[in-house]
Each structure stands twice: as C-alpha cells, then as structure tokens.
C-alpha cells in the first residue's frame, strides 16, 4: 500500500510539469506492486486503499524526494526509509530492506516483456577510470597479482592515480602500452 501511495505521488508530480502536450491526466488509481516474488494489486481512491481486494487503513504523508514516510496502518505506526529506483523504490523498515517494483496496472501487464539488463562482469579487466595518460605499467603478461597490488599509474589533470588489483589473478593480456592516452573505461589489461 505504501509503495502504490508513493508511486501515485510521483505520478501526480509528473503530471504537474508545465509545457506538456494535451490535458493533464490524473495519476493512475490501479497499481501493481511486486516485492520479491509476491505481486499485489493496489487500488487507490479518495475513500479507501485496497490491496488484493482487502481494504487497508493507511494514513501517510509523502512528497517525492522525501527520505522517510511516516505512516499509520490501522492503529500501528510505521516509519519507512524510501529511495526512488528505476521501476519503483528501495524501502527499509524495521531492519529489513525491500526492492519494491511499482507500476501502473496498465503498464504492469507488459512487465513480463521488460527484461532486466544484467550488467556484464568486468571484474577481470583493469579499466581506466578517467581520461588520462598511462604513465607506468607495473606488470606484464603471465604475472601473478594479488589483491591491492599496484598494476598501473594513470596521469589525469596533473595527478597520478595508482590503479590496484581488485582480486588475485594472473595477467592474461596487456591491452595498453606505457605512454598511451586512454579514454574512460579503456581496457588496460585483462586477468584470468
């Protein structure tokens, strides 16, 4: 119920942005809220809030951007720490953390087609963190490295930045040479 309430607050704020085409639409009344594998249908109206057809007494104040929601469910007070994410909110309450996906019901039916992009594992690469000049390379192909060991030095904005190994491994290949100008996220070396 709190997730849908916060989602409606964000939708209401979005509809108030000036210079939009067409008439301003009211925020959706029907929401789908997913916490873990559990999916609930939440309906918000002026009179009541229902979760899966069961009426819930919720009293809360929330403005998009607030870090906390102080709510009362029934007679029980509940404080929830909240942070906006791409498709919902990260919520913390009573020592537990929840990733809550909140979508209008009209969009939620298409959620099965929205595949989450899993970021590639780049832990085996040493990437240049900023544009700069590769001043020194402390290892060669086949060298064994330990976590925390200096691997390279990149000079950027007249400062030398020491790049260290994030894990133990063996240098598989060197992709850059000393003296090369590197872009952000350029591969310097690869570990096995």
């Amino acid at each position: 119920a709190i997730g849908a309430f916060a989602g409606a607050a964000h939708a209401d704020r979005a509809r108030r942005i000036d210079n939009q085409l067409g008439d301003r639409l009211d925020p959706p009344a029907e929401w789908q809220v997913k916490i873990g594998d559990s999916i609930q249908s939440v309906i918000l109206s002026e009179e009541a809030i229902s979760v899966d057809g069961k009426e819930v007494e919720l009293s809360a104040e929330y403005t998009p951007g607030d870090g906390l929601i102080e709510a009362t469910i029934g007679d029980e007070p509940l404080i929830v720490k909240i942070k906006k994410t791409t498709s919902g909110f990260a919520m913390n309450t009573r020592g537990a953390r929840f990733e809550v996906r909140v979508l209008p019901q009209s969009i939620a039916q298409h959620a099965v087609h929205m595949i989450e992009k899993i970021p590639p594992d780049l832990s085996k690469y040493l990437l240049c963190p900023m544009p700069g000049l590769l001043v020194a390379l402390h290892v060669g192909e086949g060298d064994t490295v330990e976590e925390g060991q200096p691997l390279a030095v990149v000079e950027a904005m007249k400062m030398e930045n020491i790049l260290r190994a994030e894990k133990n491994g063996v240098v598989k290949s060197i992709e850059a040479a000393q003296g090369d100008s590197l872009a952000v996220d350029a591969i310097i070396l690869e570990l096995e």
Side-chain angles (χ1 to χ4, degrees):
I2 291 174
F5 180 79
H10 279 268
D12 186 52
R13 182 182 72 173
R15 81 180 182 96
R16 294 173 189 265
I17 295 172
D18 288 338
N19 299 321
Q20 296 189 51
L21 297 175
D23 296 330
R24 291 183 177 173
L25 302 174
D26 290 332
E30 297 182 24
W31 295 84
Q32 184 187 82
V33 179
K34 180 179 179 190
I35 303 172
D37 293 331
S38 173
I39 296 175
Q40 283 83 34
S41 175
V42 181
I43 298 175
L44 305 173
S45 70
E46 297 281 330
E47 300 80 38
I49 296 175
S50 67
V51 178
D52 289 336
K54 181 181 174 188
E55 194 169 310
V56 174
E57 288 183 39
L58 173 66
S59 171
E61 284 190 32
Y62 174 70
T63 302
D66 288 351
L68 288 176
I69 294 180
E70 295 182 31
T72 304
I73 298 178
D75 294 330
E76 188 176 336
L78 183 66
I79 296 177
V80 180
K81 184 177 177 184
I82 186 168
K83 183 178 179 187
K84 182 79 175 105
T85 61
T86 304
S87 61
F89 303 94
M91 299 175 132
N92 295 339
T93 187
R94 298 182 178 165
R97 177 177 168 79
F98 303 97
E99 290 296 327
V100 182
R101 186 187 76 190
V102 180
L103 297 172
Q105 194 67 46
S106 60
I107 295 172
Q109 62 187 345
H110 305 291
V112 294
H113 304 293
M114 294 185 247
I115 301 168
E116 284 199 39
K117 183 178 179 183
I118 298 170
D121 180 19
L122 299 174
S123 65
K124 66 180 183 176
Y125 296 104
L126 177 65
L127 302 176
C128 187
M130 65 200 74
L133 179 69
L134 184 58
V135 176
L137 197 55
H138 299 300
V139 293
E141 287 186 20
D143 288 356
T144 302
V145 297
E146 295 180 10
E147 183 179 347
Q149 176 181 341
L151 301 178
V153 177
V154 174
E155 183 182 291
M157 296 188 294
K158 299 182 182 179
M159 294 183 65
E160 290 190 351
N161 302 281
I162 300 171
L163 306 180
R164 300 180 183 273
E166 292 184 13
K167 63 180 185 178
N168 297 342
V170 176
V171 178
K172 180 178 178 181
S173 65
I174 304 289
E175 303 295 329
Q178 187 172 329
D180 285 356
S181 288
L182 302 173
V184 176
D185 292 336
I187 298 173
I188 298 172
L189 59 85
E190 180 181 356
L191 298 173
E192 289 181 358

